[in-house]
Amino acid sequence: MSQRAKIVWTAVISVVATFILTGVLYLTVGSGIIGRMLYVGDGSTFQSPLLDEVKAYLETFYMGDIDEEEMVYYAAKGMAASTEDPYTRYYTPDEFEEYMDSNIGAYVGVGIVLTATEDTNELVVVTPYEDAPGDKAGVLPGDIIVAIDGVAYTGEDLDEAADVMRGSDLANAAGTQVTLTLRRGDETFDVVLTREEVHLKTVNAEMLEGDIGYMRIISFDGDTDVEVENALNTLLESGMNKLVLDLRDNGGGDYNTACGVAGKFLDEGDLIVYTEDKNGVREEEYATGKMTDCELVILINGGSASASEVVTGALDGNGRAKAIVGTTSYGKGITQNIYQLKNGGGMSITVDYYYTPTGECIHEKGIEPDVEVSLGENEDKPSTTLTYEEDLQLQKAVELLQ
């Protein structure tokens, strides 16, 4: 798996926040959630002689204490893990509360997006969120995190490192400190960060040369569609007639928000995406009206996944993009529902595939660019760290729009 693909497994110390709408069933793409909560089950007890026997042996012979509640939680996690689907999971009540809190557009943490390097398997900063503790302390994209509070971590410990940085084990992490040991070039140094409530800014935009605008979407969270609308208005007022939409290293987010973003470039009634579950039940999403007819080139790479692929597929499938530039996207064409359980815990369960307007399921295939452009010697750098001179993909996009 390339580093770009590993972005999809990125531990956003924020757990990249997504907006939660009220009610019963939550449909997710990546970490994104829409819909309402659903309670299921008839209260019947799962019977397993094997589990009873294991429990009896542990209680009889294990020299330490047995926490029956934890035992049940781990059994539930094992049942979910038996699907061999990394997106189907069980959350304990504490984990589920934390998960839901992390999906409201603000969270307590340090505001750093991490991934793992491919060659050295180190933790590397993809981006610090603007005005978050990491950004204010001078953490930069490309910094290697050598240790957290004096404990060394590698790329294999990405999730654990994320939890430690967020202070997930603390009753109230806001105001507490965490020390990061960073390596930048040949220099190694410590940075002390104070955890605080982080409000995410997911859209960056600016004018490039002439009438060409540039917009990077970092993730699709609850307010991203509003941020995109505001950014588009600013760019249009600045004379933009052409746009580079940068979805590189965007691991996904809220499905509904992604559809809203795609709709800003599509005619009312255009099909954005549809899903089908194992019973063949089909759900469709349509555009409700667009903001601009500007020429459009989309940038993608192996870290563009899930909701990013929904947007790319929607614009490409409706002939809206002049070109897709970069490398093949990750290929996550499945969605998950989030269910709250009676004990206060929850489950994420993969329930269906999604399809582009042309009827293509991109799962485990990804979206291939019209113009494939490698970054050469900079291929392993997060795209957020590239200068314009290094960014051959952005240069190609501008060339196509000129």
Side-chain angles (χ1 to χ4, degrees):
M1 181 184 294
S2 68
Q3 185 205 353
R4 302 296 177 193
K6 286 183 179 178
I7 297 276
V8 179
W9 297 95
T10 293
V12 182
I13 302 314
S14 60
V15 186
V16 178
T18 48
F19 184 69
I20 296 180
L21 301 178
T22 57
V24 190
L25 171 76
Y26 284 85
L27 173 62
T28 75
V29 175
S31 59
I33 303 177
I34 63 171
R36 298 175 297 173
M37 200 69 90
L38 176 65
Y39 290 86
V40 298
D42 58 5
S44 60
T45 302
F46 177 75
Q47 300 292 333
S48 170
L50 173 60
L51 294 182
D52 290 339
E53 187 177 15
V54 170
K55 180 175 179 289
Y57 268 89
L58 287 172
E59 290 177 335
T60 303
F61 299 110
Y62 176 61
M63 64 180 294
D65 295 329
I66 299 294
D67 186 326
E68 289 195 5
E69 186 174 55
E70 286 296 308
M71 185 183 295
V72 172
Y73 291 160
Y74 276 100
K77 287 179 179 292
M79 291 174 69
S82 70
T83 64
E84 298 185 353
D85 171 24
Y87 306 104
T88 296
R89 306 171 183 172
Y90 169 77
Y91 298 92
T92 69
D94 287 345
E95 290 170 345
F96 191 64
E97 180 179 6
E98 179 182 325
Y99 176 77
M100 300 300 277
D101 286 345
S102 73
N103 287 296
I104 59 175
Y107 62 93
V108 173
V110 297
I112 296 175
V113 181
L114 293 180
T115 189
T117 61
E118 181 176 8
D119 296 336
T120 59
N121 198 31
E122 295 176 301
L123 293 177
V124 60
V125 176
V126 175
T127 185
Y129 281 104
E130 185 177 343
D131 293 329
D135 178 49
K136 289 185 286 190
V139 177
L140 299 177
D143 284 348
I144 299 296
I145 297 182
V146 179
I148 305 170
D149 285 336
V151 178
Y153 290 89
T154 69
E156 295 177 354
D157 309 312
L158 194 129
D159 289 340
E160 181 182 352
D163 287 340
V164 173
M165 291 177 67
R166 292 187 63 203
S168 297
D169 61 337
L170 303 176
N172 184 6
T176 61
Q177 292 185 327
V178 59
T179 300
L180 305 185
T181 301
L182 303 178
R183 189 177 75 247
R184 183 181 301 162
D186 296 329
E187 181 184 6
T188 299
F189 56 95
D190 288 342
V191 174
V192 179
L193 306 179
T194 300
R195 301 178 180 99
E196 64 182 46
E197 186 172 279
V198 176
H199 296 268
L200 302 184
K201 180 182 178 181
T202 61
V203 177
N204 295 318
E206 62 180 306
M207 289 297 295
L208 299 178
E209 52 191 84
D211 60 351
I212 300 176
Y214 170 85
M215 181 186 298
R216 174 187 287 274
I217 303 179
I218 298 170
S219 63
F220 290 94
D221 300 327
D223 294 328
T224 300
D225 53 346
V226 176
E227 290 186 53
V228 167
E229 183 170 332
N230 292 337
L232 279 176
N233 283 329
T234 300
L235 291 173
L236 290 168
E237 290 171 1
S238 300
M240 179 192 72
N241 290 311
K242 304 168 184 178
L243 177 66
V244 178
L245 181 60
D246 193 345
L247 299 179
R248 292 175 297 176
D249 297 334
N250 180 328
D254 187 87
Y255 178 87
N256 195 42
T257 300
C259 291
V261 169
K264 297 186 187 304
F265 300 94
L266 298 174
D267 291 325
E268 182 175 358
D270 283 348
L271 177 63
I272 296 172
V273 64
Y274 67 92
T275 61
E276 284 189 1
D277 66 16
K278 65 180 182 180
N279 298 313
V281 176
R282 175 166 166 161
E283 298 285 342
E284 301 171 342
E285 298 289 340
Y286 291 93
T288 57
K290 64 185 174 185
M291 288 186 62
T292 176
D293 285 310
C294 68
E295 282 190 73
L296 185 63
V297 170
I298 304 172
L299 294 179
I300 61 171
N301 63 11
S304 306
S306 196
S308 296
E309 293 170 303
V310 169
V311 172
T312 303
L315 301 184
D316 184 50
N318 283 285
R320 186 63 183 81
K322 180 174 184 178
I324 300 173
V325 174
T327 56
T328 302
S329 65
Y330 182 78
K332 182 178 182 289
I334 51 178
T335 68
Q336 290 74 46
N337 287 351
I338 299 296
Y339 302 98
Q340 183 170 345
L341 305 180
K342 293 179 179 179
N343 73 337
M347 292 192 71
S348 166
I349 302 177
T350 296
V351 294
D352 53 30
Y353 289 95
Y354 72 78
Y355 297 81
T356 68
T358 57
E360 182 180 6
C361 179
I362 55 86
H363 191 59
E364 297 184 342
K365 296 188 300 182
I367 297 174
E368 294 184 2
D370 300 309
V371 183
E372 184 167 357
V373 179
S374 170
L375 292 173
E377 62 182 12
N378 296 309
E379 189 64 36
D380 282 337
K381 285 187 177 181
S383 59
T384 52
T385 69
L386 300 173
T387 65
Y388 186 79
E389 290 70 27
E390 294 173 326
D391 197 343
L392 303 180
Q393 295 166 344
L394 177 56
Q395 290 179 36
K396 174 57 71 173
V398 170
E399 177 188 325
L400 292 171
L401 288 172
Q402 286 176 330

